[in-house]
Every structure is written in structure tokens, then in C-alpha cells.
Amino acid sequence: MQLQRLAFAALALITSTVLHAQGPIWPTKSIRWIIPYPPGGITDNATRMVVQKVAEQTGWTIAVENKPGANSILGADIAAKSTPDGYTFLTVIAAHAANATLYAGKLPFDVVKSFAPVSLVGIAPLIMTANNDLPVKDIKELIAYAKANPGKLSYGSSGVGAAAHLTTELFDQTVGVHMVHVPYKGTAPALQDLMGGNIQILVDVPSTLMPQVRGGKIKALGMFSAKRVAGAAEIPTIAEAGGPLIEASTWVLFLAPAGTPREIVNRFASETAKAVASADIKSRFETIGIEPVGNTPDEAGKFLSEEIAKWAKVISTAGVKPEQ
């Protein structure tokens, strides 16, 4: 009898040790996923592709909610103030890094400290395009034309602080030219004005601009990447087109509220990496101009810190102020 009790005690100890090693049982309910942008854009599409794949891999239920507003601040704030129990996640893009400087001291959360990095899902290098009537055929000629006509060229963006805006500012600062910024309420009206000749330059993601390039309505000058981008391989890099090497992108990065258990963060990062590495996600990412990554929480945090520093310098040098 004593031997039996000892056996049961040993079994209980082993079971307890195994359960402790596995961590808490998670998830036991639906996971809430916040996208701080409207449905249908590259951020929304990429997020839904990946979380759907994760759900298929794991059997988890993930409910995606679009919470747009205030340059992504509204949705990020909801996530930042959510209970850090592994049931709330957030997607952010380059604007999140820019907001750290653009709205310094005015945000209802800390861009870094209020969140736990999960994984950098993918990077979407940006492309510079021009109105067909602009008398330049590549970046080298654009630089020469802009220097000969200071302040006479204008460029559009989807709004102040957007990746497209700051990337063009980075280009200006790097090559020593000045083009006038014209912010729009989204990329669509900016693209219309580019085709109509009201602005001369527009930078954005290839998925938005390449259909118009291939349709002959605008022309592509160069890609802000170190190498040519799959899905738009006919477009040279900025360096290949006669300019300096400039890398700039928007990106898709997953976060959780600060304090979310590390084992949960690690598990979701692992499942994200597995999803992003799958053949179907790679193929679908290529069609929208995203280079798949799928890295660790530490790597994602390092990337975010580097992006914050990069865009802080651009914003400060250009004196960019948020829209009122």
C-alpha cells in the first residue's frame, strides 16, 4: 500500500512537472486581433492571410476587427489597454514607428513599452512613380531635374507621417533636392492627381501602383530596396536607376499588450513563422509585393527600434508636424 502511494505521488509529481513545462492551457477562447486600418488595404489583407493560416495550423479561433482612426493610434490604444492574457493582438506598420516621434508626448500609450513584439511578418519595399509627362526616365534624371528646378516638383502621399511621405522626405534629404509635399486622405486621390498631372511624384506600395504602371498610365522610376522585388522584377532599384542605395518600406508587424506571457508570445511567433514560410502565403505575398520574414520576438523588437530611430531622424530633419 505504501509502495502504491509512493507510485501515485511520483506520477502526480511527473504530471505536475510536465504541465508546468507546457505552461498554462491556452487558448481556451477566441483570440481578438486588432487591425488599426480599414478593410481591404495591404495591412488588412496580409494580416488576414497569416492569421487565417495560423488558425488552420492550430485550430484556434481568431476574430479580426478593423479599428481605423487617428493614423492607427485608435486601434493601437485599444490593444495597449487590453488585458495582457494572450487574447488580444495587434498589427502595426511603419506609421507606428513614425508616431513615436510625430506624436511625441501626445500618445495615450508608449510605442515600445506598451507592447510586446511578436513577429515581423513581412516587408513591402516602396516604389517611386512619376507622371508620364515629367521629362525624366529614371532616378538619375529625376535628381538632375529636381536640382535644376528646386521647389517646382510636388509629390503626394496618403497622409502626413505615412511611409510614402517619409520615404520621399528621406529621398530628398539623401540626394539633396526639395520637392513639395501634398498630403491626401489616402492613396487613391493622390494616384488620381498623379495621373492627372496635378502632382509629379508618388511613392507607395507596388500592389497599389504597379497596375497603373503596367497599364501605361504612370511610369516607375525605382524601387526602394537593395534588390529587385519579386512580383515587380522589371523595376530597377533606386541604386540601379542612378541614385544612391536607399531602402524604405512599409511592413507588417505583430504585437501583443505588454505583459502578455512570454510563452504565449513565443508560441504565436513560432506559428506565425510557420505560416509565413508556407508555399501558399509566400505566393500570395508575392502578388501584393511583400517579402516574407516571420522572425522571433527579440528580432521583431530590434527591427521596430531601428525603424523608430530611422524615421525619427527623417522627421526631425524635415521638421514634419502632424496634421491637426
Side-chain angles (χ1 to χ4, degrees):
M1 194 66 166
Q2 179 68 23
L3 185 61
Q4 187 179 41
R5 282 199 294 268
L6 288 173
F8 280 144
L11 179 60
L13 178 62
I14 292 170
T15 302
S16 174
T17 301
V18 170
L19 288 175
H20 180 73
Q22 290 176 338
I25 297 173
W26 172 90
T28 58
K29 60 181 181 180
S30 177
I31 296 168
R32 182 190 194 192
W33 203 284
I34 298 172
I35 303 176
Y37 293 95
I42 188 171
T43 309
D44 182 68
N45 290 337
T47 298
R48 289 177 185 273
M49 287 180 196
V50 175
V51 299
Q52 181 181 355
K53 188 69 175 180
V54 169
E56 292 171 0
Q57 292 168 180
T58 61
W60 301 340
T61 300
I62 306 174
V64 177
E65 298 178 17
N66 295 90
K67 297 290 185 181
N71 201 24
S72 81
I73 295 171
L74 177 63
D77 188 42
I78 293 171
K81 290 178 170 58
S82 296
T83 304
D85 55 4
Y87 292 97
T88 301
F89 289 86
L90 170 74
T91 299
V92 295
I93 62 174
H96 184 75
N99 285 347
T101 302
L102 200 59
Y103 298 96
K106 299 178 181 178
L107 291 173
F109 54 83
D110 187 291
V111 168
V112 174
K113 295 179 181 178
S114 296
F115 303 97
V118 178
S119 183
L120 174 64
V121 173
I123 295 173
L126 302 183
I127 182 174
M128 177 174 278
T129 62
N131 173 266
N132 283 336
D133 293 333
L134 187 66
V136 304
K137 68 177 184 295
D138 56 26
I139 294 297
K140 182 179 180 180
E141 291 186 359
L142 173 66
I143 294 170
Y145 186 89
K147 286 183 176 180
N149 299 274
K152 292 185 179 180
L153 290 180
S154 60
Y155 70 93
S157 79
S158 57
V160 173
H165 170 208
L166 299 182
T167 296
T168 316
E169 287 289 353
L170 174 61
F171 176 84
D172 281 9
Q173 293 171 18
T174 303
V175 304
V177 301
H178 171 62
M179 296 188 287
V180 179
H181 179 218
V182 182
Y184 291 82
K185 298 294 185 182
T187 303
L191 180 55
Q192 287 298 317
D193 268 7
L194 179 71
M195 292 187 291
N198 295 318
I199 57 175
Q200 290 75 50
I201 298 292
L202 180 61
V203 169
D204 212 279
V205 291
S207 59
T208 298
L209 301 181
M210 281 306 296
Q212 307 304 326
V213 171
R214 289 172 176 148
K217 295 179 180 179
I218 57 176
K219 54 188 173 185
L221 299 181
M223 197 77 70
F224 287 93
S225 55
K227 60 182 181 180
R228 297 202 180 197
V229 175
E234 70 269 34
I235 308 304
T237 66
I238 296 292
E240 288 175 331
L245 173 60
I246 307 176
E247 293 185 66
S249 62
T250 188
W251 31 264
V252 179
L253 192 146
F254 289 170
L255 299 174
T260 299
R262 184 62 186 232
E263 59 267 31
I264 292 176
V265 169
N266 287 341
R267 176 69 193 281
F268 213 106
S270 176
E271 292 296 342
T272 297
K274 181 180 176 182
V276 170
S278 66
D280 59 329
I281 294 296
K282 282 184 175 180
S283 176
R284 293 169 74 186
F285 269 17
E286 182 175 320
T287 64
I288 57 175
I290 295 181
E291 298 174 348
V293 180
N295 60 14
T296 67
D298 287 343
E299 290 167 338
K302 181 174 182 290
F303 175 86
L304 179 57
S305 294
E306 291 171 349
E307 286 287 289
I308 289 171
K310 174 181 180 177
W311 296 122
K313 183 178 179 181
V314 174
I315 291 167
S316 298
T317 301
V320 177
K321 303 297 181 185
E323 290 179 289
Q324 299 300 318

